[in-house]
Amino acid sequence: MRVLVTCSWITAACALLIALWTAPQLLATGVVGVGGSPLFEVLYLFPALIGVPVCLLAAAVAATLLVRGVVTTTARRLLAWGQILTVTLLALCVAALATPRATGWELALMPGALQVGQVVVAAGLILLVRDGRRGG
């Protein structure tokens, strides 16, 4: 269980950094640029290179824990299902890229796919911290 929680902190932090790169650009211009700033590597490239593999590990651990029936709290269920949702959405983006009708825009959806699943993970982390402070 500790691996799932640790991975979830890492992936949620990576998703937050990516959001700090993408959200302001989307809101200001409707487009997300790549490169052109030293912040690109720190806020987008490195978090993606770290977050995606860690998310894959977390989803594998989550699936194992769910099958074993040891995920018993709402917070931990959110962590597990959020990681699985993230990997599923990322896999759908990759599968869409492999189709003959792919335009490349499927690649642009990947940061959003990561963020959707990680919002669920973040909710689980918030509950975990809140429950921990209550002594539960």
Side-chain angles (χ1 to χ4, degrees), residues 58-129:
V61 169
T64 302
L65 293 173
L66 286 166
V67 167
R68 290 183 181 170
V70 296
V71 180
T72 57
T73 67
T74 301
R76 294 176 198 282
R77 281 188 195 104
L78 287 170
L79 297 181
W81 287 110
Q83 296 294 3
I84 291 169
L85 175 62
T86 302
V87 169
T88 301
L89 293 173
L90 288 172
L92 289 172
C93 289
V94 170
L97 274 169
T99 65
R101 293 186 149 179
T103 63
W105 282 103
E106 298 82 1
L107 189 60
L109 296 175
M110 290 182 103
L114 174 75
Q115 308 221 339
V116 167
Q118 291 305 301
V119 166
V120 177
V121 171
L125 290 170
I126 290 167
L127 286 177
L128 200 63
V129 169

Side-chain angles (χ1 to χ4, degrees), residues 23-35:
Q25 292 181 56
L26 278 174
L27 293 172
T29 65
V31 177
V32 176
V34 293

